[in-house]
Amino acid sequence: MAERSIEEILLIEDDYERRIELLILRLPQKMRPPVHWLRKPDAKWLRLPAGALLMCGGLLAILPVFGLWMLPLGFILLSQDVPYLRKQTNRMLAWVERRKPHWLGLS
């Protein structure tokens, strides 16, 4: 998949997709292709279990390997396929875009 520039991402009309693409752009270069692959519709078989496992790992943040960073990543992966989570994730990302735009690389 060709890398999108921030200018191309800002032209995406769907707010949810634009915000997710901005987050992906913040990832290290080596992590972007696997995340783009996971977001494809045919990767649903892996996305659902990975999202659930990440959320469970986020709840085990007191253990050394796990952390709270896993919880939002699990929500974002599951929100691709669960409409209720997609709505809530979009609301959260809208708040981030308004209050903390530097988290999305907008400042």
Side-chain angles (χ1 to χ4, degrees):
M1 179 174 212
E3 187 72 25
R4 289 182 174 178
S5 69
I6 194 160
E7 292 83 17
E8 292 173 326
I9 293 172
L10 291 175
L11 293 176
I12 298 173
E13 290 187 26
D14 182 14
D15 290 335
Y16 176 80
E17 287 298 320
R18 185 185 73 248
R19 292 171 183 141
I20 295 293
E21 286 295 325
L22 285 169
L23 283 176
I24 291 172
L25 196 60
R26 302 279 294 179
L27 290 173
Q29 187 68 33
K30 289 185 178 183
M31 290 299 299
R32 293 177 197 167
V35 171
H36 278 294
W37 180 81
L38 266 176
R39 294 193 69 232
K40 290 183 179 179
D42 57 338
K44 183 177 183 175
W45 63 272
L46 184 61
R47 187 172 47 244
L48 291 173
L53 288 173
L54 282 166
M55 288 176 61
C56 290
L59 296 175
L60 298 172
I62 58 171
L63 299 174
V65 176
F66 303 104
L68 287 177
W69 62 270
M70 299 172 92
L71 202 56
L73 184 57
F75 273 112
I76 287 173
L77 282 177
L78 286 177
S79 72
Q80 289 287 122
D81 302 306
V82 181
Y84 176 76
L85 287 179
R86 185 178 180 109
K87 181 179 176 184
Q88 298 306 315
T89 302
N90 194 32
R91 289 180 65 199
M92 177 204 51
L93 290 174
W95 181 88
V96 167
E97 190 174 34
R98 280 191 317 273
R99 303 284 182 149
K100 307 283 186 184
H102 59 280
W103 289 3
L104 297 175
L106 294 174
S107 60

